[in-house]
Structures are given as C-alpha cells and as structure tokens.
Amino acid sequence: MARKTWLGKHSPETVEPIPFESDPMADAPISIDVTHSEPYRKLLELAKTPLDLTQEGVLSTERVSGMRASACGFDLLYSTQQVDEPVLAALTALAGEARAVERFKMLMAGKVMNRIEGHESENRQVLHFASRNVFDDLPDPEPMPEAADAAGKAKAELAKLKEFLQRLESGALQNAKGEPFTDLVNVGIGGSDLGPKALYMALLPFRQGGRRVHYISNVDPDDAAQVLEGLDLSRTLVNVVSKSGTTLETLTNETLVRNAFTQAGLTPERHFLCVTGEGSPMDNPERYMSSFYMYDFIGGRYSATSMVGGVSLGFAVGYGQFTDILRGAREMDLNACGSEGTVNLSLLAALLGLWNRTFLGYPTVAVLPYSQALVRFAAHLQQLDMESNGKGIDREGRFVDYPTGPIVWGEPGTNGQHAFYQLIHQGTTVVPCEFIGMRQNQYGLDLTVEDTTSQQKLLANLLAQSIGLATGQRSGNPNKTFPGNRPNSVLIADRLTPRTLGALLAYFENKVAFQGLIWNVNSFDQEGVQLGKVLANQLIGHLAKGAGAGEEDDPVGWAMLRAAGAV
Amino acid sequence: MARKTWLGKHSPETVEPIPFESDPMADAPISIDVTHSEPYRKLLELAKTPLDLTQEGVLSTERVSGMRASACGFDLLYSTQQVDEPVLAALTALAGEARAVERFKMLMAGKVMNRIEGHESENRQVLHFASRNVFDDLPDPEPMPEAADAAGKAKAELAKLKEFLQRLESGALQNAKGEPFTDLVNVGIGGSDLGPKALYMALLPFRQGGRRVHYISNVDPDDAAQVLEGLDLSRTLVNVVSKSGTTLETLTNETLVRNAFTQAGLTPERHFLCVTGEGSPMDNPERYMSSFYMYDFIGGRYSATSMVGGVSLGFAVGYGQFTDILRGAREMDLNACGSEGTVNLSLLAALLGLWNRTFLGYPTVAVLPYSQALVRFAAHLQQLDMESNGKGIDREGRFVDYPTGPIVWGEPGTNGQHAFYQLIHQGTTVVPCEFIGMRQNQYGLDLTVEDTTSQQKLLANLLAQSIGLATGQRSGNPNKTFPGNRPNSVLIADRLTPRTLGALLAYFENKVAFQGLIWNVNSFDQEGVQLGKVLANQLIGHLAKGAGAGEEDDPVGWAMLRAAGAV
C-alpha cells in the first residue's frame, strides 16, 4: 500500500520550463553593502530570540506542510529551520536590498563581475552558465552579446565532444590493435577533478558499455601508481585537464602517466586528450589526439558542466545523458532568475544559510546526502562553497567585519548517523544540516525486510534526523537530553538521474553565488591559494638545489625542511 | 644530493620500546573538573594575547628546529602553533591538574570509565588497548586482572584469525569449485566500517595476492548494488560485523547480500563470516562458517585493531602485516603512558588542540594528510573524535559551559590546496590544521621532473602551507593580503607501512582520549545517536503500516512523510 503512493507525483520529468523574465541586463551596481540596511539591522535584532523549535506545538503539521518549496523536480522542506514569518520577510527584504536576483542575472548576462573594485583582480566574466545555455527549447535571456558568444563557444565544444564520442561508438576511433577503449584516466586537480569525479560517482549505473573512469589528482605519486596498477593501458584513454596548461600537479602526473604508456610500448599521442584554454602551453595537437577548450570566464569549481566534466562524463554515460545533466542545470539556472509565481529555490536556500551563518553565527554547515551515489558530492560542494565565499574582503577591497562563507563538510547518511552525528545532536557547537534525499534508488535492487524496503528505511532515517535535530528531547538523565534547535532542511527529489543531478549541482552553485552577492564578496576568484604556491615553489627550488645552496635567503624554509627530515 | 639525505635518520624500524612506568593502577578520581584550577585561569588569560606568528622573526630557525617532538617513528613539528613557553607550561600544568596520564593508565588498566557518575550510563571498561596488548617482547603494565583478561581474549581471537587465514593460504578453505577466495565484502557501519576501510585504503600496495576488500555500509540499497555489481560471488567471502548483532543497516544489507548469493545458486553458509559479541543474535554457527568475537569493552570507533578490523585487513594484507599494525598501535599506547625522557606525543597533540579549541575558541580542526593513501583517514578521525568528544555534559552529568570536541574534517593535500584552502587562508573563521606527511611514497613509482621527485614536491607543498598559514603575507592589495596566525602542526614519518599506520591510528585515539579526560567528558559512549534511532523506527513503522494507520499518535511524523512525498 505504501508502495503504491511511494513514487508520488514529484517526477522531475514533468518540470515545466520556467519563463525567463525580460530585461536580464539590469543595471545594478556590482558592489552593494547591505550591512547598514534596515533588513540587516532587523535580522540582527530577530537573531537575539530565534524561534524555539523545541517548544510544544511549534513544529506543527501546518508548519511542516506549509514550509515546502518546489522547483525543477526538487522539494525543499524547511520547517525545521529556526525561521518564522518575520525572519523570512526580513531575509527576503535583505535579498531585495542586495538586488540579488538582478545581480545574478548580470552574472548570467556576461558582466565582468569577477573583480574587486579599485584593486588589481582577475577582471573576468562569470559565464559557466553559458556551458548549459545550449537548448533551443528552453528560454534564453535577451541575447546579450557576451553571453551569446559564450553559449556559442559551449555549443561548438559540445559538437566536438559529440563527434568524438560518435567516433568511439562507431569504432572509427580504436586502439592500435583495433579494440575499443574501455577506460579513461582523467588527470586534473581541484575543479578539474572534484566536480567531474563527484558526478561520475553519482551516475555509475548510468554508464554505457561498462566504461570506467579513473581520476588522478594528487601530486603524491601513489595516486597515479594506484590508478595505473591493474589498468590495461592499451585500451585506456587519458584526459589531461588544466585551464592554464601549467598546473604543477597535473603536468607532473601527466609525465608519470605518459611514461607508463611509453614503457608499455604504447604511443601516448594515440591515447591522450586534453581540456585546456585555447592557446595555453597544453594546446598542442602534436601531443593530444583531441583538444577541448575551456575559457577564462569559467572558474574551475564551476566547470563541471563545461568540457572539464564533459569529456570524462560523456565517455562514461554517453553524449545524450551528459546533455541531460546540462538540461537539469539549465532549468535550475532559469529558476534562479526568478519569475512570478515560482519559488526561487537556490535563493531561498541561500537566505536560510545566511540566517544560520551571519545572524545565528554558526561556523559550519554539514551537507548530508542520504544517497550513496552522492558519496563525493559534499567534497565537491566543499570546494565550491569554501573557495567561492571563504573571503575576507568585500567587492571594494574592504576587510569585512561579518562572517562570510562557512566551513562545508559532510558524508552520506545513514553512515554519518553511526559516526559524527553524536556531536551534531549533543555537542557544544551547533551544526546546521542540509539533508539531501531521493525517493527511489538508482539500481532497482531492493528488498522488503520487515515490511519496508531499504529505500524506505533510508528516507525514514533522514526525516527522523530532521525532526529530532529540531525538536530535541527532554529527559531526567542529562546524557539522554537533546537540546534541539539544530537547524536543518531537507532537499528531496524522485531519483538521482543525470537531469536531477544537473539541477542539484546548479542549485548549490547558484546558492553560493546568491550568498556571495549578499555578503558582497567576489565568489569567483581564489587569491588565497597563491601564497602557498609561491612558498611551495621556493621549497621545491631548495630541494632541487640541495642543502647549502642559498640558505641565507630563506633560513626558515630550510629550517622547516630540516625539521621535517626532508633534507 | 638531496636524495642522499632524503631518507634521513627517522626510521620507524628503530623505535625503542618505551619503558612502562610502574603503578599503572593509579587511584585518581574518574571525574576531575579543571575549569576552576589555576592553570585553566592562566590559559584564559594568556589566550587574550596569543603569540603573533606574523611578526618579523617570531617564526625563527631556532623556534622551528626546537619545537619538534619525536616518538614511535613520528616527528611532530609545532612551531607554527600559537604557543610559547608560558602557554606550554600552563598546558602541561593543566594536564597535571586533570591527572591526565594517570587517568589514561586507568583506562588501560581496565577501570570502568565509560560511565557518567550518578546517572544511568553504559558502565563499561575501555579496553580497546587490550586488542594490541599481544606482544611478549613489548612492555606490559603491571598485570591488572581486568586488562590481562581482555588481552587474553584478544590473543584468543588473533589465534582464531591466524588459523583461518592459514586455511585460506593453504587451500584448506576454498569455494565449492575448489578455487581460492579472491574478494571479501565487509558488511558493517560506523566503527565496523570507517576504521577498517580507512586502514584498507591506506595499505593497498601491501595486499597479498591481489586480494580485494569491498565495504558495504549504507542502508541505501545502491551501496550494496554497486559493490555486488561485477563481483564473482563464487570467489567472494562476506564478513558481517555488528557487536550487538542487531544493527538495522547491517542486518538489512546482510539480507540483500545473502539473497544475491542464493540467487547465484551459492550456499551463503560456505561464504559468510561474522564479527559480533559473544552470545549476540548473530552468534550462530549455522549461519556463519566462522565467528570472531568483539567485546563490550571495545567501542565501535576504537575497534579497528580488534577483529572488527582484523578479518578484512588480515584477509587483505595477511596475518603478519595485520599484527604489524597492532605493534605500531601498541608502541604508541605505551608512549602515551609517559616515561622519563620521552615525549608523550599524543598528550602534546591533545594539549595543542585544547589550546586552539577551548582557549582560542576555534570551532573546527582540519586533518590534512599529504598522502593519497590516507584518503579516508580523515573520515575515520571524524567519527573517532566527534563521536567521542562531541558531548555536552561532563563525567558527573553537568552541562558544560566550555567548548568540547571540535568539528573534524579534511581531505588529502595537495588536492585540498586547489579546493577549500582559500577559506583557510583568507576566510573569516580560523581553521587550525593538522598536517600529516610521509617522506617516502608507498608504491616506489616516482619520477624526477625538473630536478625533484613528486614526493619531494608533495612534502614541499605541505611545509609551504604550514609556513604560509602561520606567517601570512602583507600586501598593498587587500586581495593578496593573508592575515596569518592560522595555527597548524605537521606530523611526519618515513613511510606509511602497517606499523606506521598502527601508530598513527593510536596517536589519534589517544589524543582524543586525553582531550576527553581534560574536558572531563565521557569519550566512550554515544547517547546522542539514540533519539534518531527511536524516531527512525517510528517512521519506518508508519511506512510499514501505510497511510491512515495511527496518524493521530504522531501527526508531525506523518506530516513530514507527506511533505517529503514518502507516502
């Protein structure tokens, strides 16, 4: 009986395209400081007495059924957040002060918004949106020339990918012995690794012909060694991914892998592909049998829907299913542009997160997918969020005096329940939780044990945690006392398909963008990684030269190498 | 030239057994509140003006070389923590007030320290230490009857494991077709999964005969489906792990896996093993061809060195190398008991963590292994630490008014550098970092590119991060300004071997225990997971009965199921 209604009416296949409002090229300022606005002041005030979810009757059936927003096949349940009408109204007003949706549309329209006003910065557009603006049957903003140009580039690369994958399918592209390629090794790091890998892990049952992808990222030589062990290189493609074409780890690992091919008597040029910036040092047809391009206007952590994800994912799940990912992402992008009568799901999520982070002061957020397929998704979100909004200055270079991006972490449930949930329930630091769930499994292998399926048990656990964290539990035994008021929300869809996954990815990308716009930070650069690079190159130089050479110029670096036993 | 000194003199093979002090059965109180002590007051005072590592000359060569402690093949470099002599002296005095080492020895001696005074609690011993107290050539504490009894049990189980693995080796134990078993599927969750899996992933190149282990944990049926896909079940063993013999996820997954065996025409009883409590519902020789025991005095998250880890790890790396893990762990346990002239490495690490957490107020700690083999180690530590010290009451049931266990998270470097390090360097929340490094790789596959090996580049990156986080960088461009004073330490050994890994595991276990003793929390129970279990069973009951049944008893639960589209 439960079975009958289990599938519900929430099918992602029934998503209606969201009408795109006219005038995407709103002319809001690039930098808006909302910390002196009335809604901001109001929220600071409201945060002194947040809603107490542990009080009898507060988490009511009306509240649970009412605080539910739906778009693109997803439902967001947020009755277990410490928000009420005044808080939601003030948050909405804050988004208005920040002109969040207008500025989001300015991103999509190709304004140069990766910049810090008045200081040297990257000065780039933010057009990962264009990598999925490739569908004639979905609405398009007024054709801004910059965005249209980027979409044209995306379509051109997609056409190259389609042709490449067709050659693999048809047998036009085979190894030297005339056998099909069965494996692909992706060499990349950061955005060229985490996003594509997280999506690949999420789509294993959607693979075609048993194809496998392996990801090498770490400069630790054991990473490559472990991947190469047991691979039949003769039937393996290698995709090297670096926008700049100069990434230390990636070039080093490429050398290791090329060496393995040569030692196996194979010709690397018949196995190696690359994804890089046009004209980069890696853009060399003599070394790669195919080159795919990514562009300066796509940040690494936002590049999973570009060729950075396209090559390995297209190889694994096929061209059609890869474009299904793009379709889901595009639908969520359009939702984020807002429209009469629809809920802006990413913006709502952004505002709930802002409440927890900026006004209630919670330092972290746990992303807890109740879906084993999303086993590496939190690691991707960790990069996406922390590299985007882990910033200490605003869009005009002023050091901020409010908390920006939180620490993002998490592991799949129910596993986490048997691990770190102890602290979430009873620890001294409150951890807001973002649950993700699916109503159906992916593989279709399930059993009814004691009247419920595993999938039902999984979802029951998710919802139980949501309730328990909010309401807590009173007890005469302090060890059995749960303080509650652990804010959380539940994002749920029917089944994790390529399209659902694309929408999920864009939901988080756009949530991060909205939060960055309201915090008024530049979510699209990453200057914070530069110092480490410079110092690392300095120490690598010391190791290359050996002890004694130039010690007087960097006594501390040498002392550290000595203390570590590295020289 | 660098190569010549690369191996250094820090070999874990040269560890001297640490003399064990007499009188391990010190008679300290089980509960000691140090928050009113003089060192605690002093530390609160010192924390108002912590050492500024960004000042010219503070991070000196003397400091770097002097703040280095070594034991059991590991060196801990801590010059990049915000500590100076007065802080270290006060922390040491605080450990004295807490009688930390004495109480640690009481744990090892088998005192009933898993308890809350005056309240119903587990009332158990904490004797995971006994699972590695199995070496005649290593010192043993005065033979307390309780600890000796536990060690005896450990030896008995080890003997069973040895015999079992010998039967596999000799061919006495084979499948129905007379072929050797090549794969083992471990079914367990939480401590029965994370620790063993993290260690397995860390020892891949030490496997024997290409044996593979697969771990199924999540009640999500896709977890089992993905593992079973492509396995030759006829050559696969299954190890089911549950101390209570009643874990929902594990029993459900066992049923799924048994079903797959039956459908493949195989007899589960010729493939299934178990690790469970003696006399548990799973302790049934008719269902398992071998049963191994674990005991109430070993908590799940501390059980990797018991049979919980023993079966899958022994299968993978062989009996001898499994006992090498135990030896490393035992050596680190003995180090934690303290001794004249040696540094208590885990206690030092515990005190540095306490300074960051309790006195400087930092909410999280990032564990950042520069070793791809440790890819799941942070996930294990997350459970170990957060489930142990994520507590809100002290050992007498009083709600604490100081921060206890931090949020533990992390991913391997150099990967993290291209992901979340942006926030660590320039974000608004300070993240103390614990780096882990190795001087040599595991596989021996490495190349010199531009005069340095990958391993050297890896280590250079680690040390560069350590320096950069501490000192920061001044700049006229706020986007290139790094505030520094991001406290961190570096733990380093020669090579990740079974023995090194055992020591590393125990180092963190003991660090967690020391911190729990000083915070005066019970690090060995996990009452915080109970509420979720109760609520989940309630919702599972609703789903089993179907809509309409008993809705009046739990309207909110039903509302949540409806909002989620689960009914």
Side-chain angles (χ1 to χ4, degrees):
Chain A
M1 190 160 62
R3 176 97 315 206
K4 186 161 164 250
T5 52
W6 183 246
L7 302 186
K9 54 187 192 302
H10 312 263
S11 164
E13 309 309 321
T14 63
V15 174
E16 290 292 316
I18 293 111
F20 199 93
E21 287 195 342
S22 61
D23 187 27
M25 198 55 195
D27 205 21
I30 283 175
S31 170
I32 300 177
D33 177 2
V34 297
T35 59
H36 303 290
S37 71
E38 177 55 24
Y40 195 89
R41 193 205 56 72
K42 176 86 176 165
L43 286 161
L44 287 175
E45 189 61 31
L46 290 166
K48 291 177 187 165
T49 53
L51 180 68
D52 181 359
L53 294 164
T54 70
Q55 286 203 298
E56 186 77 28
V58 166
L59 189 64
S60 65
T61 56
E62 293 70 29
R63 182 178 168 90
V64 169
S65 55
M67 297 181 89
R68 175 173 178 278
S70 305
C72 302
F74 281 89
D75 303 311
L76 180 65
L77 318 184
Y78 58 101
S79 66
T80 43
Q81 295 280 0
Q82 285 185 282
V83 295
D84 51 17
E85 280 309 319
V87 169
L88 288 170
L91 287 169
T92 305
L94 187 69
E97 290 283 342
R99 301 177 73 173
V101 175
E102 283 165 89
R103 290 202 287 159
F104 184 83
K105 288 185 191 176
M106 286 163 57
L107 291 171
M108 284 185 70
K111 273 245 181 184
V112 177
M113 287 181 67
N114 172 2
R115 65 194 279 193
I116 303 290
E117 304 280 348
H119 297 279
E120 189 197 330
S121 63
E122 294 195 323
N123 278 324
R124 293 176 184 169
Q125 300 165 296
V126 181
L127 278 175
H128 54 276
F129 306 102
S131 65
R132 51 248 194 176
N133 182 12
V134 294
F135 298 97
D136 293 337
D137 62 328
L138 289 179
D140 195 12
E142 306 289 322
M144 293 295 120
E146 295 86 347
D149 181 56
K153 288 189 162 91
K155 286 176 186 166
E157 293 306 310
L158 268 176
K160 279 162 62 179
L161 179 66
K162 185 176 188 179
E163 193 260 332
F164 175 78
L165 294 173
Q166 275 172 345
R167 285 171 58 216
L168 279 181
E169 290 303 325
S170 70
L173 189 63
Q174 295 180 318
N175 75 3
K177 288 189 270 180
E179 299 163 330
F181 291 102
T182 55
D183 293 75
L184 182 143
V185 172
N186 193 84
V187 181
I189 194 165
S192 301
D193 171 66
L194 283 168
K197 184 172 182 175
L199 300 189
Y200 172 74
M201 299 294 290
L203 294 177
L204 292 178
F206 294 86
R207 285 177 298 167
Q208 300 198 328
R211 285 184 184 162
R212 298 179 303 173
V213 181
H214 317 265
Y215 293 84
I216 297 176
S217 50
N218 202 327
V219 75
D220 180 348
D222 288 336
D223 193 12
Q226 187 189 311
V227 166
L228 294 175
E229 192 183 53
L231 265 190
D232 178 357
L233 293 185
S234 76
R235 301 184 66 170
T236 298
L237 294 170
V238 179
N239 183 39
V240 186
V241 189
S242 168
K243 181 162 67 176
S244 67
T246 62
T247 313
L248 169 80
E249 287 88 343
T250 302
L251 296 190
T252 304
N253 277 320
E254 180 182 6
T255 305
L256 266 177
V257 177
R258 275 189 189 265
N259 196 49
F261 272 81
T262 309
Q263 287 189 344
L266 298 164
T267 311
E269 292 69 33
R270 295 194 60 167
H271 294 260
F272 277 55
L273 322 166
C274 77
V275 181
T276 191
E278 204 169 349
S280 92
M282 263 171 59
D283 185 11
N284 178 353
E286 289 181 16
R287 285 171 63 83
Y288 305 97
M289 59 176 177
S290 292
S291 297
F292 300 91
Y293 293 133
M294 69 177 298
Y295 297 92
D296 265 356
F297 51 71
I298 302 183
R301 57 194 174 274
Y302 294 94
S303 69
T305 52
S306 76
M307 284 304 109
V308 169
V311 174
S312 63
L313 295 169
F315 176 81
V317 303
Y319 180 78
Q321 293 193 113
F322 175 64
T323 58
D324 285 347
I325 299 175
L326 304 189
R327 179 174 287 274
R330 178 67 181 166
E331 287 166 345
M332 195 58 92
D333 288 346
L334 294 174
N335 173 264
C337 294
S339 176
E340 286 286 330
T342 61
V343 174
N344 190 325
L345 211 61
S346 332
L347 178 58
L348 174 58
L351 293 173
L352 294 169
L354 261 156
W355 172 246
N356 288 329
R357 172 65 171 155
T358 301
F359 300 100
L360 299 184
Y362 299 138
T364 83
V365 58
V367 177
L368 304 168
Y370 277 61
S371 164
Q372 193 61 23
L374 295 173
V375 61
R376 292 303 289 160
F377 199 68
H380 170 59
L381 296 186
Q382 192 172 61
Q383 163 172 41
L384 175 67
D385 202 325
M386 294 174 68
E387 198 168 31
S388 294
N389 291 338
K391 302 286 163 67
I393 59 168
D394 73 8
R395 284 184 160 278
E396 295 173 57
R398 296 172 293 221
F399 290 93
V400 302
D401 59 359
Y402 47 88
T404 58
I407 292 149
V408 178
W409 59 283
E411 291 283 334
T414 56
N415 290 16
Q417 294 178 197
H418 295 258
F420 52 80
Y421 279 36
Q422 164 67 42
L423 183 147
I424 298 183
H425 279 285
Q426 292 186 320
T428 54
T429 298
V430 171
V431 178
C433 296
E434 299 193 9
F435 295 103
I436 303 171
M438 298 288 150
R439 297 184 191 94
Q440 302 165 40
N441 64 57
Q442 285 189 318
Y443 280 87
L445 176 76
D446 201 349
L447 273 187
T448 298
V449 177
E450 295 185 10
D451 298 330
T452 53
T453 62
S454 289
Q455 188 69 29
Q456 287 179 308
K457 292 184 182 80
L458 180 67
L459 196 46
N461 270 278
L462 185 168
L463 300 173
Q465 292 296 334
S466 174
I467 297 170
L469 288 168
T471 62
Q473 175 177 273
R474 288 169 199 176
S475 169
N477 184 340
N479 211 14
K480 297 183 192 301
T481 300
F482 291 73
N485 283 323
R486 267 55 179 165
N488 68 85
S489 53
V490 177
L491 183 72
I492 189 162
D494 267 3
R495 182 166 175 254
L496 193 62
T497 62
R499 189 167 167 196
T500 320
L501 184 62
L504 186 67
L505 178 76
Y507 165 87
F508 279 104
E509 287 180 3
N510 298 340
K511 174 193 160 205
V512 165
F514 278 126
Q515 292 186 332
L517 289 168
I518 299 171
W519 282 321
N520 205 35
V521 299
N522 177 11
S523 305
F524 308 104
D525 67 357
Q526 53 283 322
E527 285 292 337
V529 307
Q530 295 303 326
L531 174 60
K533 274 189 200 173
V534 170
L535 291 174
N537 284 332
Q538 195 167 315
L539 294 189
I540 288 170
H542 298 342
L543 290 171
K545 287 182 203 136
E551 296 208 20
E552 63 285 2
D553 296 333
D554 182 19
V556 170
W558 277 103
M560 190 68 87
L561 287 169
R562 286 225 167 69
V567 289
Chain B
M1 190 157 66
R3 178 98 305 211
K4 186 158 166 253
T5 52
W6 184 245
L7 302 186
K9 55 187 191 300
H10 313 265
S11 165
E13 310 308 321
T14 61
V15 174
E16 291 292 316
I18 294 110
F20 198 94
E21 287 196 343
S22 60
D23 187 27
M25 197 56 192
D27 206 19
I30 282 175
S31 169
I32 299 177
D33 177 2
V34 297
T35 59
H36 303 290
S37 71
E38 177 55 23
Y40 195 89
R41 194 204 56 72
K42 176 85 176 166
L43 286 161
L44 287 175
E45 190 61 32
L46 289 167
K48 291 177 189 165
T49 53
L51 180 67
D52 181 359
L53 293 165
T54 70
Q55 285 203 297
E56 186 74 30
V58 166
L59 189 63
S60 64
T61 56
E62 294 70 29
R63 183 176 167 92
V64 169
S65 55
M67 298 181 89
R68 175 173 179 276
S70 306
C72 302
F74 281 90
D75 303 311
L76 180 65
L77 318 185
Y78 58 101
S79 66
T80 44
Q81 296 280 1
Q82 285 185 282
V83 294
D84 51 17
E85 279 310 318
V87 169
L88 288 170
L91 287 168
T92 306
L94 186 70
E97 290 283 341
R99 301 177 71 173
V101 175
E102 283 165 270
R103 290 202 288 159
F104 183 84
K105 288 185 192 175
M106 285 163 58
L107 292 171
M108 284 185 70
K111 273 243 179 185
V112 177
M113 288 182 66
N114 172 2
R115 64 195 281 195
I116 304 289
E117 304 280 348
H119 297 279
E120 189 197 330
S121 62
E122 293 195 326
N123 278 323
R124 294 176 183 166
Q125 300 165 297
V126 181
L127 278 176
H128 54 276
F129 306 102
S131 65
R132 52 249 193 173
N133 181 11
V134 293
F135 298 98
D136 293 336
D137 61 329
L138 290 179
D140 194 12
E142 306 290 322
M144 294 296 118
E146 296 87 346
D149 181 56
K153 288 188 163 89
K155 285 177 187 165
E157 294 306 310
L158 268 177
K160 279 162 62 180
L161 179 65
K162 184 177 188 178
E163 194 259 334
F164 175 79
L165 294 173
Q166 275 172 345
R167 284 171 58 217
L168 279 180
E169 289 302 325
S170 69
L173 188 64
Q174 294 180 318
N175 75 1
K177 288 189 271 182
E179 299 162 331
F181 291 102
T182 55
D183 292 76
L184 183 143
V185 172
N186 193 84
V187 181
I189 194 166
S192 301
D193 172 64
L194 283 168
K197 184 173 181 176
L199 300 189
Y200 172 74
M201 299 294 290
L203 294 178
L204 292 178
F206 294 87
R207 285 178 297 166
Q208 300 197 329
R211 286 183 182 162
R212 297 179 305 174
V213 181
H214 316 266
Y215 292 84
I216 297 176
S217 50
N218 201 327
V219 76
D220 180 347
D222 289 336
D223 194 10
Q226 187 188 311
V227 167
L228 294 176
E229 192 182 52
L231 264 189
D232 178 357
L233 293 185
S234 75
R235 301 184 67 169
T236 299
L237 294 170
V238 179
N239 183 39
V240 187
V241 188
S242 168
K243 182 161 68 174
S244 67
T246 62
T247 313
L248 168 80
E249 287 89 343
T250 303
L251 296 190
T252 304
N253 276 321
E254 180 182 6
T255 306
L256 266 177
V257 177
R258 274 189 189 265
N259 195 50
F261 272 82
T262 310
Q263 287 190 343
L266 299 164
T267 310
E269 292 69 33
R270 295 195 60 169
H271 295 260
F272 276 55
L273 323 167
C274 77
V275 181
T276 191
E278 203 168 350
S280 93
M282 264 171 58
D283 185 11
N284 178 353
E286 289 181 15
R287 286 171 62 83
Y288 305 97
M289 60 175 177
S290 292
S291 297
F292 300 90
Y293 293 133
M294 70 176 297
Y295 296 92
D296 265 356
F297 52 71
I298 302 183
R301 56 193 174 274
Y302 295 93
S303 68
T305 52
S306 77
M307 284 303 110
V308 169
V311 175
S312 62
L313 294 169
F315 176 80
V317 303
Y319 181 79
Q321 293 192 113
F322 175 66
T323 58
D324 286 346
I325 300 175
L326 304 189
R327 178 174 288 275
R330 178 67 180 164
E331 286 165 345
M332 195 58 92
D333 288 346
L334 294 175
N335 173 265
C337 293
S339 177
E340 286 286 330
T342 61
V343 174
N344 189 325
L345 211 61
S346 333
L347 178 58
L348 175 57
L351 293 173
L352 294 169
L354 261 154
W355 171 245
N356 288 329
R357 173 63 170 155
T358 301
F359 299 101
L360 300 185
Y362 300 137
T364 82
V365 58
V367 177
L368 304 168
Y370 277 60
S371 162
Q372 193 60 23
L374 295 173
V375 61
R376 292 304 289 162
F377 199 68
H380 170 60
L381 296 186
Q382 193 172 60
Q383 163 172 42
L384 175 68
D385 202 324
M386 294 175 68
E387 199 168 31
S388 295
N389 291 338
K391 303 287 164 66
I393 60 168
D394 73 7
R395 285 186 159 275
E396 294 173 57
R398 296 173 294 221
F399 291 93
V400 300
D401 59 359
Y402 47 88
T404 58
I407 292 149
V408 178
W409 59 284
E411 292 282 335
T414 56
N415 290 15
Q417 294 178 196
H418 294 257
F420 51 80
Y421 279 36
Q422 164 67 42
L423 184 146
I424 298 183
H425 279 285
Q426 292 186 321
T428 54
T429 298
V430 171
V431 178
C433 297
E434 298 193 9
F435 294 103
I436 304 171
M438 299 288 150
R439 296 183 191 95
Q440 301 165 40
N441 64 57
Q442 285 189 318
Y443 280 86
L445 176 74
D446 202 349
L447 272 187
T448 298
V449 177
E450 294 185 10
D451 299 329
T452 53
T453 63
S454 289
Q455 189 68 30
Q456 287 179 308
K457 292 184 182 79
L458 179 67
L459 196 46
N461 270 278
L462 185 168
L463 300 172
Q465 291 295 333
S466 174
I467 296 170
L469 287 168
T471 62
Q473 176 178 273
R474 289 169 199 177
S475 169
N477 184 341
N479 212 15
K480 296 184 192 300
T481 301
F482 292 74
N485 283 323
R486 266 55 179 165
N488 68 84
S489 53
V490 176
L491 183 71
I492 189 162
D494 266 2
R495 181 167 177 254
L496 193 62
T497 62
R499 188 167 167 196
T500 319
L501 184 61
L504 186 67
L505 178 76
Y507 165 87
F508 280 103
E509 287 180 3
N510 298 340
K511 173 193 160 204
V512 165
F514 278 126
Q515 292 187 333
L517 289 168
I518 298 171
W519 282 321
N520 206 35
V521 300
N522 178 10
S523 306
F524 308 104
D525 67 357
Q526 55 282 320
E527 285 294 336
V529 307
Q530 294 305 325
L531 174 60
K533 273 190 201 174
V534 171
L535 291 174
N537 284 332
Q538 197 167 313
L539 295 190
I540 289 169
H542 298 342
L543 290 171
K545 287 181 203 136
E551 297 208 19
E552 63 285 1
D553 296 333
D554 182 20
V556 170
W558 277 103
M560 190 67 87
L561 288 169
R562 284 223 170 72
V567 290

